[in-house]
Amino acid sequence: MALRGGTRFAVPFEAVFPHGAVFVPDSIAEAQDFDEKTRMRTPSKDKLTGQRVWQCRVMDMDPELGARSREVSIKILANVQPVPPVGPFQAVEFENLTVTPYVGSNGRLAYSFRATALVAPKTLAESRGKAA
């Protein structure tokens, strides 16, 4: 089976961020597309859903990352700007997280993450209830 470029794979939040993720304050912004012909920027729209695209940054809390970069950019597909948690460096989760692998300009494998919502983390009781 051949995969087409831009194929998105659904992935559980816990598989990408097993130690959680923390929202980087003031990091939500509307994604922009750049048109080479007109040299103008326009708000980005998702090619599959037509929804507006927002970007935010989170820190991966995996202790094995050590001194390496922990920052990850997540694109959120929503018609209105997502509301981040109140307060600096709050834990967050993403609903309907997908990953799109691609080869970056440096020739290395890279990933693009998309989600449909930015939410407060589930409590242990909620997680257990979902599994039951």
Side-chain angles (χ1 to χ4, degrees), residues 59-128:
M59 289 177 46
D60 186 337
M61 298 310 294
D62 185 346
E64 292 183 17
L65 289 175
R68 290 180 289 183
S69 176
R70 295 174 174 267
E71 198 168 291
V72 178
S73 179
I74 307 286
K75 293 179 181 174
I76 303 170
L77 310 179
N79 290 324
V80 296
Q81 182 174 343
V83 177
V86 177
F89 299 101
Q90 295 292 316
V92 294
E93 291 186 2
F94 296 94
E95 292 182 345
N96 303 310
L97 190 61
T98 63
V99 61
T100 304
Y102 65 96
V103 176
S105 58
N106 61 2
R108 293 186 177 183
L109 182 62
Y111 303 96
S112 174
F113 294 100
R114 292 179 186 256
T116 58
L118 167 71
V119 297
K122 297 176 189 74
T123 65
L124 185 57
E126 289 173 324
S127 297
R128 286 185 178 155

Side-chain angles (χ1 to χ4, degrees), residues 35-54:
D35 186 330
E36 289 286 339
K37 288 182 183 178
T38 63
R39 314 255 334 136
M40 298 199 47
R41 294 187 183 279
T42 56
S44 187
K45 299 263 183 170
D46 183 68
K47 291 178 177 80
L48 296 180
T49 66
Q51 289 183 297
R52 291 167 68 181
V53 179
W54 305 87

